[in-house]
Amino acid sequence: MKKKHSAQGMAAAAPAAVPASAPSRVEAFSFGDPVPVLDRADILNYTEAWTNGQWYEPPVSWAGLAKSFRAGTHHASALFFKRNVLASTFIPHKMLSRAAFEAWALDFLTFGNGYLERRNNRLGDPLQLVPPLAKYVRRANDLRRFIQIDGWRQTHEFQEGTVFHLRDPDINQEVYGLPEYLGALHAAWLNESATLFRRKYYENGSHAGFILYMTDPAQREEDVDAMRQALKNSKGPGNFRNLFMYAPNGKKDGIQLIPVSEVAAKDEFFNIKNVTRDDMLAAHRVPPQLLGIVPSNTGGFGAADTAAKVFGRNEIEPLQARFLQLNDWLGEEVVRFNPYTIEPASKAA
């Protein structure tokens, strides 16, 4: 088990901070002033669990993963899609409701860790399984107890032996699990940055809808001012900014509008969105036709029912098998699933 007590390890709780003793490194740079979910990729800089004296801190920032959950459209959509398929095949139990299973499954898919607290009746028999939020659950130093925190000072210690921990194994430490999509977070953040850049481009109004170029001398200057004021009042917040230029006796090509980077930015925007989308879908292993993505080529993505069958066999069944670990821990068959089946097109019609 990997432990860290140094100042560099303590920085894992606050990924944005850099220890004073850390060696110098080349920092990334960017143009403009973007507002991403996370600054740089510090969430991936720490892959070992360190103890603060009471519990082990996560190897990456759970708060960062929670913020990144909605950074990319296809990232959250793929997680919700898997959760929905699992919930649709889950058979509810008196101790584990469908709602509780949905929360447990979403935590596991998002953080690589899912917890269930066993609440007993007065006789000590299992009564109900309740999922505490994985974002706030920590493992105690003895690795037998679990503690729930609120991010500040309040803590709640679960009774020993009452919490089941389902984790996605990590290769660097055995305290916490890690989600499989970590390698695609850069794509999700880049997708978000491209969208934010595009939004700011339109909201800042630093571009024009058209230029009204007037060369003939006007009889009255008041008419020119009225036209200028009418154009100014016609636009609203976030709309294209129109320009008016009055040049008496001007030449035809006396004024030219030369875009500096609009065309290049437009092309790169679509490329970035498509490439990052493909990276996220590859990390989640979800076929694009199952997420409602419109194909850009004439051939399409292929039949959706065929893709769903392959996805069910290669992705859903292994996930279902992982959740069956609860039955071994509890000694009772609480988690059961119906097979994930797709009706033939003829019957569905």
Side-chain angles (χ1 to χ4, degrees):
M1 174 170 47
K2 290 288 186 178
K3 305 177 183 179
K4 275 198 174 183
H5 301 272
S6 63
Q8 186 175 0
M10 295 289 287
V18 178
S21 60
S24 60
R25 60 181 181 180
V26 179
E27 295 292 343
F29 66 94
S30 61
F31 296 100
D33 186 21
V35 187
V37 168
L38 294 176
D39 186 16
R40 299 185 299 272
D42 288 342
I43 188 176
L44 302 179
N45 284 352
Y46 304 95
T47 55
E48 297 177 341
W50 61 274
T51 176
N52 62 7
Q54 294 180 282
W55 61 78
Y56 285 97
E57 290 292 345
V60 299
S61 171
W62 288 166
L65 289 182
K67 290 180 180 179
S68 301
F69 181 76
R70 292 178 174 86
T73 304
H74 306 94
H75 175 52
S77 180
L79 293 174
F80 279 131
F81 179 74
K82 290 183 181 180
R83 189 277 311 269
N84 293 341
V85 173
L86 288 170
S88 68
T89 59
F90 173 71
I91 302 176
H93 190 272
K94 62 180 181 180
M95 286 195 297
L96 184 61
S97 64
R98 190 182 301 274
F101 175 80
E102 289 181 357
W104 181 36
L106 187 60
D107 269 355
F108 175 74
L109 295 172
T110 304
F111 299 100
N113 299 273
Y115 302 91
L116 283 176
E117 179 190 8
R118 186 190 68 224
R119 296 182 179 178
N120 302 329
N121 56 22
R122 295 183 178 180
L123 299 179
D125 298 325
L127 179 65
Q128 187 182 18
L129 294 169
V130 180
L133 293 177
K135 179 180 177 181
Y136 304 104
V137 176
R138 304 291 185 267
R139 296 194 69 173
N141 288 343
D142 56 12
L143 298 179
R144 298 191 303 269
R145 295 173 295 114
F146 293 87
I147 302 173
Q148 187 172 18
I149 65 175
D150 65 350
W152 184 235
R153 295 182 178 179
Q154 299 295 328
T155 61
H156 167 71
E157 182 176 337
F158 296 98
Q159 183 179 355
E160 184 176 344
T162 61
V163 175
F164 172 71
H165 181 195
L166 178 66
R167 69 184 188 94
D168 200 344
D170 178 36
I171 61 174
N172 294 302
Q173 44 80 40
E174 66 273 21
V175 181
Y176 296 101
L178 285 179
E180 299 175 353
Y181 62 79
L182 281 184
L185 282 179
H186 292 288
W189 297 333
L190 179 58
N191 189 290
E192 179 206 33
S193 298
T195 303
L196 290 176
F197 172 81
R198 204 63 176 176
R199 285 189 59 196
K200 290 181 179 180
Y201 177 77
Y202 281 95
E203 290 178 355
N204 289 341
S206 58
H207 52 289
F210 62 84
I211 294 180
L212 181 60
Y213 183 34
M214 183 175 177
T215 59
D216 292 335
Q219 297 296 330
R220 299 171 53 195
E221 287 293 332
E222 291 80 359
D223 295 338
V224 177
D225 295 336
M227 185 179 298
R228 182 183 292 109
Q229 188 64 31
L231 283 174
K232 181 179 180 181
N233 296 335
S234 66
K235 66 178 183 292
N239 293 335
F240 286 95
R241 268 57 172 176
N242 302 321
L243 303 178
F244 174 73
M245 184 66 188
Y246 178 48
N249 299 321
K251 298 180 181 180
K252 178 181 179 181
D253 298 328
I255 297 178
Q256 297 183 12
L257 178 63
I258 304 176
V260 177
S261 60
E262 198 277 334
V263 175
K266 180 178 180 181
D267 293 339
E268 284 304 315
F269 175 74
F270 289 106
N271 290 335
I272 290 174
K273 296 291 287 186
N274 291 335
V275 170
T276 54
R277 177 200 66 189
D278 294 343
D279 286 347
M280 285 185 283
L281 294 186
H284 291 294
R285 297 181 297 277
V286 178
Q289 59 266 53
L290 300 184
L291 294 183
I293 297 176
V294 179
S296 56
N297 59 346
T298 57
F301 295 125
D305 56 347
T306 303
K309 292 178 181 178
V310 176
F311 175 75
R313 175 61 185 88
N314 294 345
E315 189 68 21
I316 297 302
E317 287 189 15
L319 281 175
Q320 291 174 340
R322 288 189 176 184
F323 287 98
L324 295 179
Q325 298 177 27
L326 175 66
N327 298 337
D328 299 331
W329 178 81
L330 195 62
E332 183 177 350
E333 191 179 19
V334 173
V335 176
R336 295 178 300 162
F337 294 98
N338 290 317
Y340 178 56
T341 58
I342 303 297
E343 295 183 1
S346 59
K347 293 184 178 180

